[in-house]
Amino acid sequence: MVQPRFVRPAQSSPSSDAVEPNSSNLYVANCGPAVGLSHDAIAAVFSDFGEVKGVYAADESGVRVIVSFADPFSAKSALEALSGRPCPDLKGRSLHIRYSVLQLASETQVNDCVPVSLVDTELNIPGLFLIPEFVSVEEEQQLLAAVDARPWIGLAKRRVQHYGYEFCYGTRNVDTKKRLGELPSFVSPILERISLFPNLDNDQSSLDLDQLTVNEYPSGVGLSPHIDTHSAFEDCIFSLSLAGPCIMEFRKYSVSTWKASSADAEKLGDSSCIKKALYLPPRSMLLLSGEARYAWNHYIPHHKIDKVKDKVIRRSPRRVSFTIRKVRNHPCRCNYPQYCDSQQQR
């Protein structure tokens, strides 16, 4: 069952919360399973103000929920009593509350209107290759067990692990002076199999892969548009999808985006870029090289439901990706200078 979708009320004044007393739904921040508060516990507290129809995750963070009342008066009472104040029955947390409204099913989109391809050749992006069933189901379970036995680093919406070198999200680069060690033994079979990848036509030294980032994406969490920093990594970027599928969108902007943040890139708009999309099934290996690696942003839409060839696919509760790269120790000299930080900074 797809849970209801709630959105912030349209602002008709500087403070929309003050003019939306007819909503029965409250957006509650600093409250949720990620801080040890179950939906049942939250419902019990809010039910003091009226009948609670349900408590729902507001997003994938685990620290924001929607509390849905049976009537607007109960919602108003709860907001006035609890907002901005520590709640003893919810571990003393100060709740930040505003009104929310239910978005009708007809207003929601399954995913953007970019046609989704099932095979790499349909995209006609040079250097992009996808191999389905790159690992077996048994190997997939072994890889997941291996990373789950190791500590995760929590980011805003997902968890990560770094091996070889740590990726620094602030600079979108790696510190080559801070090596973490050899890649873990559990990826050795993958590395051996990569050497047999049928589409490799690269300098062998660039395939001496030494950096691994493991990403865990909860359902609905995606990835903002970006190009892996040219000066950080060599030509080939490998990405193995485990546990669940996703749609990966590829965008080629008409202007340079190497300096832009992911938010800036999205603001460039539909008219300034070409968009294509590919379905990545579980256990598939994606290779980005050449033009696909250097000139196309890759992006995972933030959806819980995707549409693939007229079929609606609900994302799994969890998707884990293994991104394997070779750290670059010299300036990039690619043929795409407009997207290249090494060449633009000269």
Side-chain angles (χ1 to χ4, degrees):
M1 179 180 179
V2 178
Q3 79 166 44
R5 178 181 172 89
F6 297 88
V7 296
R8 190 167 187 171
Q11 292 191 355
S12 55
S13 76
S15 176
S16 64
D17 291 348
V19 297
E20 289 289 345
N22 293 323
S23 175
S24 302
N25 309 299
L26 299 177
Y27 172 97
V28 185
N30 198 29
C31 179
V35 292
L37 302 175
S38 68
H39 286 186
D40 288 343
I42 297 166
V45 170
F46 279 82
S47 63
D48 288 345
F49 302 93
E51 180 186 350
V52 174
K53 295 174 61 178
V55 177
Y56 309 97
D59 52 33
E60 299 78 26
S61 68
V63 295
R64 292 177 281 270
V65 299
I66 299 293
V67 178
S68 181
F69 282 97
D71 63 89
F73 179 79
S74 299
K76 182 174 184 292
S77 299
L79 185 149
E80 292 176 348
L82 299 177
S83 185
R85 300 181 178 89
C87 182
D89 294 326
L90 294 176
K91 298 187 176 182
R93 303 191 73 81
S94 293
L95 308 181
H96 307 286
I97 307 176
R98 65 172 185 251
Y99 286 107
S100 185
V101 294
L102 177 66
Q103 187 176 44
L104 299 177
S106 60
E107 298 174 324
T108 63
Q109 294 183 341
V110 173
N111 56 253
D112 298 333
C113 298
V114 181
V116 178
S117 298
L118 297 176
V119 294
D120 50 16
T121 53
E122 290 183 359
L123 271 63
N124 196 28
I125 299 178
L128 183 150
F129 304 98
L130 179 72
I131 297 184
E133 299 296 335
F134 190 81
V135 297
S136 67
V137 173
E138 181 180 2
E139 289 172 321
E140 177 184 43
Q141 295 306 311
Q142 291 171 349
L143 290 168
L144 292 172
V147 294
D148 284 336
R150 299 185 177 219
W152 291 90
I153 300 170
L155 301 182
K157 293 186 178 182
R158 66 185 194 275
R159 301 192 300 174
V160 301
Q161 296 179 16
H162 299 292
Y163 300 95
Y165 295 87
E166 180 176 359
F167 183 77
C168 302
Y169 293 96
T171 61
R172 293 190 287 178
N173 213 318
V174 295
D175 186 345
T176 56
K177 298 179 181 179
K178 296 182 179 179
R179 192 161 184 263
L180 302 177
E182 299 292 332
L183 295 187
S185 59
F186 61 77
V187 296
S188 295
I190 298 176
L191 298 177
E192 293 173 5
R193 206 166 299 167
I194 280 176
S195 67
L196 303 175
F197 212 97
N199 305 105
L200 292 179
D201 185 20
N202 301 79
D203 179 4
Q204 191 58 40
S205 63
S206 70
L207 297 174
D208 185 17
L209 305 173
D210 57 7
Q211 197 277 334
L212 165 66
T213 294
V214 182
N215 281 281
E216 180 192 59
Y217 299 90
S219 177
V221 174
L223 190 65
S224 297
H226 72 284
I227 296 174
D228 284 33
T229 307
H230 287 204
S231 64
F233 304 107
E234 294 281 1
D235 184 47
C236 292
I237 309 291
F238 295 91
S239 182
L240 178 66
S241 295
L242 303 174
C246 78
I247 303 299
M248 183 167 283
E249 186 177 301
F250 300 91
R251 298 179 175 186
K252 189 173 184 181
Y253 292 94
S254 59
V255 297
S256 170
T257 59
W258 75 270
K259 290 190 205 177
S261 68
S262 57
D264 293 333
E266 292 206 66
K267 289 177 183 176
L268 290 173
D270 292 348
S271 62
S272 65
C273 72
I274 303 169
K275 294 183 179 182
K276 301 183 180 185
L278 182 64
Y279 176 68
L280 305 183
R283 299 179 297 282
S284 64
M285 177 68 86
L286 177 72
L287 166 61
L288 301 180
S289 63
E291 182 179 321
R293 180 265 188 271
Y294 289 122
W296 289 76
N297 282 254
H298 55 279
Y299 160 59
I300 301 175
H302 300 265
H303 298 146
K304 291 190 175 182
I305 298 174
D306 294 304
K307 187 175 181 182
V308 181
K309 301 291 186 183
D310 297 323
K311 182 179 180 181
V312 173
I313 298 177
R314 186 171 183 84
R315 290 193 190 171
S316 301
R318 177 193 200 202
R319 174 179 173 266
V320 176
S321 70
F322 283 42
T323 302
I324 313 174
R325 302 169 281 207
K326 167 65 176 177
V327 171
R328 190 188 294 274
N329 293 302
H330 54 83
C332 178
R333 303 181 184 89
C334 69
N335 295 322
Y336 306 91
Q338 67 270 41
Y339 306 108
C340 181
D341 61 309
S342 289
Q343 298 179 68
Q344 290 290 320
Q345 289 177 335
R346 290 177 183 173

